Amino acid sequence: MFEHKKKLLHPVKVERPNPQYAVLMQEQLGGCNGEVKAAMQYLSQSFRAKDPVFKDLFLDIGTEELSHMEMVAETINLLNGGDVDYKKVDAGEIETMVTFGLNPALVNSSGNPWTADYVTVTGDLAADLLADIASEQRAKVVYEYLYRQIDDKYVKETIMFLLEREEAHNALFCEALNKITDDGSNKSFGMSEDSRLYFDLSKPGRYFDDPDPKAPKMANAKDSKSTKSKAKKK
């Protein structure tokens, strides 16, 4: 069950309309590294997550990403200004001026519609967490590019907040990955000699030794939880 609060997660405003920059911001609304993608990916991963520790993490972060979606949409809304005028957009999608009536739409900066193809869900906890770490890293990169191309101090404040929240999510997913061992695709981690070979096929030059992968040594989250429970009982 979801409950919506009309107050944004973080205040959003702009110094002045900037329809061309609104086009760039569309990438973080309906793009492959945007907020809709992140929300749908993490919420979808929660559907079959059996361990409540990880299910809760997917739900918490996925729900927050919906709040980020609102912030990005409101930023785009303010940047688009008060009336349609395609002459103010020199590059990128112009559907906002032609089809959407300035409404922030689920398209990227080129006007391509959002698609569920952006979402990674494997049912394997390790694979999903690695995908989530990569997703957050890519989102950070896009926000950094956006930050460097705008002088509006209020827009920069919004982007910085979102960028720092992506950093927080990245750290949480990394922590979650470190909690699992012998789970899903981690079960065969470095079990054969084939996994310890380096094929030096780009010559000349070799800068890495033979790999030596090992299964993570951290305790499984479920085991850690039960261990703590036993400790409390004692």
Side-chain angles (χ1 to χ4, degrees), residues 53-230:
V53 172
F54 300 104
K55 187 179 186 72
D56 187 64
L57 182 66
F58 291 143
L59 287 169
D60 282 341
I61 298 180
T63 303
E64 184 184 341
E65 298 290 7
L66 291 174
S67 299
H68 294 182
M69 178 186 72
E70 281 190 307
M71 290 178 61
V72 172
E74 180 60 13
T75 301
I76 293 170
N77 198 34
L78 295 173
L79 288 169
N80 274 330
D83 200 6
V84 293
D85 185 356
Y86 78 93
K87 294 178 182 177
K88 294 179 179 178
V89 179
D90 296 324
E93 65 92 7
I94 59 169
E95 285 83 358
T96 293
M97 301 296 176
V98 180
T99 307
F100 305 133
L102 301 183
N103 189 81
L106 299 187
V107 299
N108 67 7
S109 56
S110 297
N112 298 317
W114 186 87
T115 169
D117 289 340
Y118 296 155
V119 173
T120 298
V121 182
T122 69
D124 181 274
L125 188 55
D128 282 352
L129 286 170
L130 284 167
D132 297 343
I133 292 167
S135 292
E136 293 294 331
Q137 197 71 25
R138 289 194 298 269
K140 284 166 53 184
V141 170
V142 177
Y143 275 128
E144 182 185 341
Y145 292 156
L146 288 170
Y147 186 88
R148 287 156 51 185
Q149 297 178 75
I150 187 68
D151 295 325
D152 189 308
K153 65 180 181 181
Y154 297 126
V155 175
K156 294 185 85 165
E157 286 176 5
T158 297
I159 292 174
M160 183 55 68
F161 173 82
L162 292 168
L163 199 158
E164 290 182 349
R165 290 309 301 159
E166 307 300 355
E167 187 69 65
H169 297 167
N170 203 357
L172 287 166
F173 285 134
C174 286
E175 182 181 347
L177 183 64
N178 285 337
K179 287 180 180 291
I180 61 173
T181 182
D182 197 31
D183 184 281
S185 58
N186 270 349
K187 288 181 180 178
S188 59
F189 212 123
M191 296 302 292
S192 74
E193 287 303 314
D194 290 336
S195 68
R196 298 184 174 87
L197 299 177
Y198 184 100
F199 292 172
D200 184 19
L201 302 178
S202 177
K203 300 179 182 296
R206 175 173 173 175
Y207 305 98
F208 293 89
D209 295 328
D210 289 341
D212 187 24
K214 294 181 176 65
K217 299 299 183 184
M218 295 78 169
N220 183 282
K222 188 181 292 185
D223 294 338
S224 298
K225 188 176 180 181
S226 60
T227 302
K228 290 179 182 178
S229 299
K230 290 177 182 177

